[in-house]
Amino acid sequence: MERSEVRPRAGWMVMGKRARLSALEVCNILITILSLFPVASLQCKILKCNSDFWASTSNSAREEEFCTALRAYNGCVRRTARTCRGDLAYHSAQHGIEDLMSQHNCSKEGPTAPPRAHTSAPPPPSKPPAPDSQERSDGPEVCHYERSVPRHAPQHNYTHCGFFGDPHLRTFGDEFQTCRVEGAWPLIHNKFLSVQVTNSPVVPGSLATATSKLTIIFKNFQECVDQKMYKAETDELPAAFADGSKNGGDRHGANTLRVVERVPGQHVEIQARYIGTTIVVRQVGRYLTFAVRMPEEVVHSVEEGDDQDLYLCLHGCPANQLIDFRTFRARATETQGKARVRSGTAPHGFTYQAARARCKERLPVEDVYFQSCLFDLLSSGDINFTMAAYYAFEDVKMLHSNSKRYHLFEKDPFVGNAAPAGLHWLQLVLVHCLTVYLWTECCSAQL
């Protein structure tokens, strides 16, 4: 009987005297829901934009009407930016709009609703519009990024991003993180290319995931390259783009984008010289690794209306996706202790000491790559992750522009500080006990 008196909407009212929530409490609940269930609460609506556009242009034969519909389509796509930024259909739509704008000579400024009065359509361009920048019709020069630097000007600064293992991320800013990031996530997105990875759980019940699919889209660029897509999956590391070609297409500088197979089925290198970029994709065991060398200018070439806040290589993983080495180690130590009592071995086949010895064989320096190897062996038991960490570091040596930054070290490393950490906690306990004792004595004296 009491339930019948409770109104479903009472919890959303901001005025009242009983257990009704305040406006601030409601906002806090909404923020919590959005952070815990981002996919359910922020669904991408890009397909609706696509269907509305094609429906509005199916019976339109006039250029002016088509351009109006195209501008409306562009506005719809931009409004989905925050919820669709990790969706390749969104990036493909963005790029397709640019192509259609150019092909039909449409201005980005103008009406976005059907025009009331008919006017004569602008004459179609006789040839593609000239590039906006200083890069004119000289195809070979335009398509070689290194040649674009004047003789006495400062050289380009190059950055590196790597993604490997369970997975571990090294950002363009040399931050190192271990993340959960299950499902599809964008690594890179700028004016020239987009990279998306799909991560799958390594072991049922574990937070650890690894990359099982990788998609790279190179957008068409002036006289240099056509749009190309490269797709790799577990046990399928192709030596060509999705259309079967190995270069940038039929344009004048097509050979400045090419796929080079270094080791069949294991190691592919994609060279995009027109943007000074090199990408390395490997399959190690059942999973993929990714590494890139890219000029800072290209990294920060933001599209209009895009703040790049969701791209892992630039800003790292969201806070709710991070995995703490120290927390994991404490749990792993406790779990292994119980397992050794029962069977003498760790749950996934590696004890802590055995994992250390295995990682030391390939990674003698106890930096973050050694730590990531240790983490992966203890969390999955998959010996192939040792080689994933090793090759990730080899890619750093090949792609990173600063040899002094090859090795990264955590302030509180995953291994090697068990005794100091225990001593630190003991000191805190002693200080706390001393404080309580002095406070008790002080109160007793006053009484």
Side-chain angles (χ1 to χ4, degrees):
M1 295 297 293
E2 292 181 359
R3 285 192 174 182
S4 62
E5 297 177 3
V6 179
R7 297 181 181 179
R9 297 184 58 183
W12 294 100
M13 299 178 65
V14 297
M15 298 181 67
K17 295 183 179 180
R18 298 189 178 181
R20 296 173 181 176
L21 300 176
S22 67
L24 181 59
E25 290 172 329
V26 171
C27 290
N28 287 335
I29 291 173
L30 286 175
I31 291 171
T32 302
I33 292 173
L34 291 177
S35 63
L36 292 177
F37 305 103
V39 176
S41 53
L42 298 175
Q43 294 183 351
C44 177
K45 305 293 184 181
I46 189 64
L47 296 181
K48 186 177 187 305
C49 295
N50 294 347
S51 60
D52 289 348
F53 170 67
W54 294 116
S56 64
T57 57
S58 58
N59 297 320
S60 175
R62 300 176 64 251
E63 288 289 325
E64 183 179 355
E65 293 177 355
F66 183 87
C67 290
T68 298
L70 189 57
R71 283 190 290 268
Y73 181 32
N74 188 38
C76 181
V77 170
R78 288 190 180 280
R79 286 191 294 273
T80 68
R82 184 157 296 278
T83 56
C84 296
R85 203 163 285 150
D87 194 316
L88 283 182
Y90 163 76
H91 301 300
S92 297
Q94 276 190 318
H95 190 60
I97 289 171
E98 293 176 5
D99 285 347
L100 291 173
M101 286 276 191
S102 175
Q103 293 171 15
H104 293 268
N105 198 27
C106 297
S107 171
K108 291 186 178 180
E109 303 296 330
T112 57
R116 295 181 180 178
H118 294 289
T119 57
S120 58
S126 56
K127 58 181 180 179
D132 295 332
S133 68
Q134 61 184 4
E135 298 173 342
R136 309 301 294 180
S137 60
D138 185 4
E141 291 296 326
V142 170
C143 302
H144 289 272
Y145 186 80
E146 294 291 344
R147 299 179 189 173
S148 65
V149 182
R151 179 172 298 178
H152 301 292
Q155 294 297 309
H156 294 296
N157 291 324
Y158 288 87
T159 59
H160 163 73
C161 176
F163 197 74
F164 68 98
D166 271 12
H168 309 283
L169 170 69
R170 181 169 180 160
T171 70
F172 285 127
D174 279 339
E175 294 183 20
F176 195 88
Q177 300 174 340
T178 297
C179 316
R180 183 165 63 245
V181 290
E182 183 176 352
W185 288 80
L187 283 184
I188 300 173
H189 176 68
N190 54 49
K191 290 182 178 179
F192 304 101
L193 79 161
S194 298
V195 181
Q196 178 173 293
V197 292
T198 300
N199 304 312
S200 306
V202 175
V203 177
S206 171
L207 294 179
T209 64
T211 302
S212 57
K213 184 177 180 180
L214 172 73
T215 303
I216 307 172
I217 294 179
F218 295 89
K219 305 174 186 180
N220 61 40
F221 178 70
Q222 296 191 15
E223 305 93 31
C224 303
V225 298
D226 298 325
Q227 176 169 309
K228 293 290 180 177
M229 178 182 292
Y230 181 84
K231 298 181 68 174
E233 298 183 34
T234 298
D235 297 328
E236 187 177 349
L237 191 65
F241 293 110
D243 62 1
S245 64
K246 293 193 174 184
N247 67 4
D250 299 325
R251 301 193 185 189
H252 195 45
N255 287 329
T256 58
L257 174 62
R258 61 185 189 133
V259 180
V260 180
E261 187 176 53
R262 298 299 187 189
V263 180
Q266 298 180 29
H267 180 188
V268 166
E269 186 175 303
I270 304 176
Q271 301 168 354
R273 287 179 293 172
Y274 66 101
I275 52 174
T277 296
T278 301
I279 295 174
V280 175
V281 182
R282 300 178 186 266
Q283 176 166 334
V284 185
R286 295 183 296 123
Y287 299 105
L288 305 175
T289 70
F290 170 86
V292 61
R293 169 186 167 93
M294 183 178 291
E296 287 185 353
E297 180 184 12
V298 176
V299 169
H300 297 287
S301 59
V302 183
E303 293 182 332
E304 184 180 352
D306 187 354
D307 57 9
Q308 292 188 317
D309 59 345
L310 294 180
Y311 307 122
L312 304 187
C313 276
L314 192 57
H315 292 298
C317 299
N320 63 353
Q321 296 293 320
L322 294 175
I323 299 176
D324 185 5
F325 271 168
R326 290 168 295 179
T327 302
F328 171 82
R329 182 189 178 186
R331 292 177 179 174
T333 303
E334 180 181 358
T335 301
Q336 289 190 15
K338 294 178 180 179
R340 281 194 296 269
V341 171
R342 293 191 301 266
S343 62
T345 60
H348 297 305
F350 278 95
T351 64
Y352 175 74
Q353 293 302 326
R356 275 185 57 87
R358 178 69 70 171
C359 293
K360 275 285 189 179
E361 293 176 2
R362 290 287 181 175
L363 299 160
V365 178
E366 294 190 18
D367 59 0
V368 293
Y369 293 92
F370 173 86
Q371 296 172 27
S372 67
C373 172
L374 187 56
F375 174 91
D376 293 352
L377 287 186
L378 292 176
S379 63
S380 71
D382 188 343
I383 191 64
N384 290 299
F385 282 122
T386 302
M387 296 306 298
Y390 169 76
Y391 283 126
F393 184 67
E394 291 299 302
D395 291 338
V396 169
K397 292 191 290 184
M398 180 177 68
L399 301 175
H400 204 291
S401 59
N402 185 355
S403 60
K404 296 180 180 179
R405 297 292 294 166
Y406 288 171
H407 294 283
L408 296 178
F409 299 90
E410 295 285 341
K411 294 180 180 178
D412 294 315
F414 178 40
V415 294
N417 279 347
L423 181 59
H424 175 69
W425 281 107
L426 179 60
Q427 291 172 342
L428 288 178
V429 170
L430 291 176
V431 170
H432 176 72
C433 293
L434 180 60
T435 302
V436 172
Y437 171 76
L438 292 175
W439 176 257
T440 303
E441 289 296 318
C442 180
C443 292
S444 299
Q446 290 180 355
L447 292 175

